[in-house]
Amino acid sequence: MISNRVKDLKESATLKINAQVNALKAEGKTIYNMTAGEPDFPPPAEAKRAVMDAVEKNLSKYTPTAGIPELRKLIAENANSQHPELAKTNPWKPSEVVVSNGGKQAIFDAILALINPGDEVVFGAPYWLSYPEMVKVADGKSVVIPTLLARDYKFSAQELEHVLTPRSKLLILNSPSNPTGTIYDRTELQAIGAVLARHPQVWILSDEIYDRIDFDGKWCSFLDACPELRDRTVTVNGLSKSGAMTGWRIGWSIAPQTLTSALISLQGHSTSGISSLSQAAAVAALKLPRENFAPFLKEYLHRRSLALEVLGKSAKIKVYEPAGAFYLFLDVREVLREKQNADGFAEKVLQDIQVAVVSGVDFGAPTCIRLSFATDEETIRTACERLADYCR
Ligand code: GLU
């Protein structure tokens, strides 16, 4: 009954486990939840007020499919201030922005708009678990480049060149990365850009949703490193992580005009655009100075140190110290039982020690688990202590 396109899709493991944990909590169970990549901070007061004002003003009608003009303009302006080199010669225009239902829809639509059946989409593993599923919907073929903890979970420009073929159509970059927190620096991105210059049929989707969570100041936007690839790059961002507004579903793409027009057509026939109230909130949030984010970054840094210190008590867990985002990616292969993978391990720790983590299986890393430290200190401390004891 279900179409071939959809029948083999996996349910999103991140959303599924988070919902399971919330259901267990609603039953009164105590669970130490480190699953969802969802900041525990409230949204900015200015954004909340803007929504209330919008309700009062009856802003309840359809908005233009691509987003309200003020919001598209602000997004383009922010992008230009982030890419001063690019802005000097070829600044982003509001007409190149599409406001979408979270960064997720922007990625999904870009894949649908670019991929023909059989086209290859390249990305590194561990990867965000929705990429391969989105590629499946588009009848594309995922080409995965394995990476190693010992090499900071990054692939090199040479490794990329090795997998590119005439069928390669899209490279997905996600820096800072979900689930590993690795960051590609400017030099590494330039080396990747040099390879892409030799493969003009390949588009780039740069998923930059975690850009503000950069612990060592090494993060670089892809187009800042490779401005010459502007004509075939789509950059995705949003306010879910930086604005702590996951439920308000505010994301966007910035892309050359031809792709943007296709994305608008697609969005016009699927969601029509995002909620008018969320767009009002987004305008208010984007007017806030970037410095407003500094306290959050400091708090994430503190939480990262706490988690690393506690997990360090078990020599059997191999932890990657993330350079950005708010995830810890743990290799637990030394403590897996025979025939057990991370799915089984995640189920056991939920049952035995009430700690909820996401299995790495769907991230393309079957011996790993992901912990989100976008949660309170008490949860982080208890969950990590329990995990470290369990693994000892
Ligand atoms: N991106 C977040 C995560 O990985 C939210 C859930 C999702 O959309 O996958 O936890």
Side-chain angles (χ1 to χ4, degrees), residues 249-387:
R249 312 307 299 130
I250 304 153
W252 57 79
S253 57
I254 315 182
Q257 204 65 65
T258 36
L259 177 57
T260 296
S261 302
L263 294 175
I264 296 172
S265 300
L266 196 50
Q267 179 147 292
H269 292 294
S270 53
T271 61
S272 301
I274 81 161
S275 152
S276 54
L277 303 183
S278 293
Q279 294 190 62
V283 167
L286 284 174
K287 282 184 181 161
L288 297 172
R290 271 184 91 80
E291 301 76 68
N292 277 30
F293 193 75
F296 301 116
L297 183 63
K298 211 168 141 209
E299 183 59 30
Y300 287 134
L301 197 56
H302 169 70
R303 293 171 178 187
R304 181 187 73 160
S305 310
L306 170 68
L308 287 172
E309 186 195 316
V310 178
L311 290 169
K313 291 180 189 157
S314 167
K316 292 200 173 145
I317 307 178
K318 300 282 171 284
V319 192
Y320 175 65
E321 185 173 321
F326 42 52
Y327 303 107
L328 285 172
F329 209 56
L330 276 46
D331 197 325
V332 291
R333 72 183 69 202
E334 282 190 43
V335 295
L336 293 179
R337 306 217 174 107
E338 218 193 330
K339 297 208 178 117
Q340 190 188 38
N341 66 9
D343 281 347
F345 181 85
E347 269 167 40
K348 278 299 273 175
V349 292
L350 183 56
Q351 238 170 49
D352 296 350
I353 55 170
Q354 292 74 52
V355 172
V357 301
V358 189
S359 159
V361 170
D362 289 357
F363 293 106
T367 63
C368 295
I369 55 171
R370 189 194 79 174
L371 272 55
S372 158
F373 54 91
T375 188
D376 63 279
E377 215 175 299
E378 170 57 21
T379 301
I380 296 172
R381 186 185 301 281
T382 312
C384 293
E385 270 168 3
R386 287 181 177 210
L387 264 178

Side-chain angles (χ1 to χ4, degrees), residues 153-196:
Y153 286 122
K154 288 190 259 198
F155 58 82
S156 65
Q158 289 77 1
E159 284 168 316
L160 170 64
E161 182 127 55
H162 192 68
V163 302
L164 292 178
T165 73
R167 284 314 299 266
S168 309
K169 182 71 187 289
L170 181 66
L171 167 69
I172 305 181
L173 289 170
N174 175 216
S175 167
S177 143
N178 173 8
T180 65
T182 200
I183 284 185
Y184 287 80
D185 65 24
R186 181 180 294 269
T187 320
E188 290 160 338
L189 292 177
Q190 281 167 340
I192 288 173
V195 169
L196 293 168

Side-chain angles (χ1 to χ4, degrees), residues 12 14-15 36-37 104 128 178 210 241 327 370:
S12 164
T14 42
L15 298 181
K104 195 180 257 178
W128 181 44
N178 173 8
Y210 296 98
K241 318 293 170 173
Y327 303 107
R370 189 194 79 174

Side-chain angles (χ1 to χ4, degrees), residues 66-77 79-80 91-99 230 252-255 257 260 264:
I68 55 175
E70 190 183 7
L71 180 54
R72 292 175 85 194
K73 185 163 169 272
L74 272 167
I75 293 169
E77 280 168 10
N80 288 329
W92 289 111
K93 297 187 272 303
S95 60
E96 292 170 307
V97 173
V98 182
V99 184
R230 182 197 195 281
W252 57 79
S253 57
I254 315 182
Q257 204 65 65
T260 296
I264 296 172

